[in-house]
Each structure stands twice: as C-alpha cells, then as structure tokens.
C-alpha cells in the first residue's frame, strides 16, 4: 500500500496550486482517502476526505478550506487530487495524502494505513 505525491510549490496569496497523489497496492473502494496538512509549529489537521467507494460530490472539507479547495479522484487512474485556490499565508504547510479505514477530517492521531511523502505548499508575498 503506497501513496506518491506530486505538486505543491510556492505562490502568492490569492494564487492557486494543485497536488496529486497516486495510489498503488489498493483501490479507492478499499480505503477512505483524504488530505491532511501540518503547518510549522502546529498539529496535523485533516482538510478533506472521501469515504470508501465515495465520489467527488461526497467529499468532506474543513471549514477553513471549504469553497477554496476541491478534492477529486480518478478511480481508473487510482489517483486523488487537491485543487487549491484563493490561497492564504495560513495555508502554508506540508500536505499529505492519506488512506485509512474511515473518512475523518477531525482525526487527531498520526497513524494511517498509508501516507504520502508530503508536498510543501508555501503562500507568501
């Protein structure tokens, strides 16, 4: 079970970035999938997730990113995406894609069935 991320980078406030995460060893029918992030000096927080066998329309979002971030999946490519727009300096963080048994953006633990290697997103002037 493996997740490999790509994307991220640096952008000015108000800009957009995207992340992708390719899964191997499992399908999106086997696990819930999502995105977490960890800002400097802060705890890991969930920002978006889709339950097992879910679709884009069933994604859950943390209030702080709702209407700015969009999580999508391509089941035939076993790949998930996070499109981020209207980025703010407080979105600066290391972003991780994850797979686990349930979709829970308020999960406070650090164990997941699979975790990507992380992608840095920096938002600054």
């Amino acid at each position: 079970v493996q997740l490999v991320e790509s994307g991220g980078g640096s952008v000015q406030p108000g800009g957009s970035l995207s992340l992708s995460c390719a899964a191997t060893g499992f399908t999106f029918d086997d696990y819930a999938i999502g995105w977490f992030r960890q800002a400097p000096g802060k705890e890991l927080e969930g920002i978006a997730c889709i339950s097992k066998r879910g679709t884009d329309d069933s994604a859950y979002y943390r209030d702080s990113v709702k209407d700015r971030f969009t999580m999508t999946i391509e089941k035939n490519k076993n790949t998930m995406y996070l499109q981020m727009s209207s980025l703010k300096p407080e979105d600066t963080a290391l972003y991780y894609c994850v797979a686990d048994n349930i979709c829970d953006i308020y999960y406070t633990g650090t164990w997941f069935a699979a975790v990507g290697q992380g992608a840095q997103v920096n938002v600054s002037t």
Side-chain angles (χ1 to χ4, degrees):
V1 178
Q2 188 177 14
L3 295 169
V4 178
E5 297 183 51
S6 60
S10 297
V11 69
Q12 292 185 342
S16 299
L17 285 173
S18 62
L19 302 173
S20 63
C21 177
T24 57
F26 71 99
T27 72
F28 295 159
D29 288 342
D30 299 324
Y31 287 102
I33 50 174
W35 294 91
F36 278 64
R37 68 184 180 186
Q38 187 164 26
K42 294 190 176 182
E43 294 184 349
L44 191 66
E45 69 171 6
I47 55 173
C49 69
I50 295 175
S51 299
K52 293 180 191 179
R53 296 179 292 278
T55 63
D56 299 351
D57 292 341
S58 65
Y60 292 91
Y61 297 95
R62 185 172 287 267
D63 285 348
S64 59
V65 306
K66 198 175 294 184
D67 298 326
R68 298 189 300 120
F69 290 13
T70 302
M71 179 178 178
T72 57
I73 57 177
E74 282 191 271
K75 290 190 176 184
N76 60 343
K77 294 184 179 180
N78 232 27
T79 301
M80 68 179 96
Y81 306 91
L82 185 68
Q83 179 65 38
M84 303 174 286
S85 61
S86 301
L87 282 160
K88 305 174 181 180
E90 51 264 43
D91 294 318
T92 294
L94 194 57
Y95 284 70
Y96 298 94
C97 56
V98 303
D100 209 7
N101 292 316
I102 60 172
C103 165
D104 183 2
I105 57 174
Y106 300 107
Y107 175 60
T108 57
T110 56
W111 186 93
F112 300 92
V115 185
Q117 79 276 21
Q120 183 66 44
V121 170
N122 294 314
V123 185
S124 64
T125 56

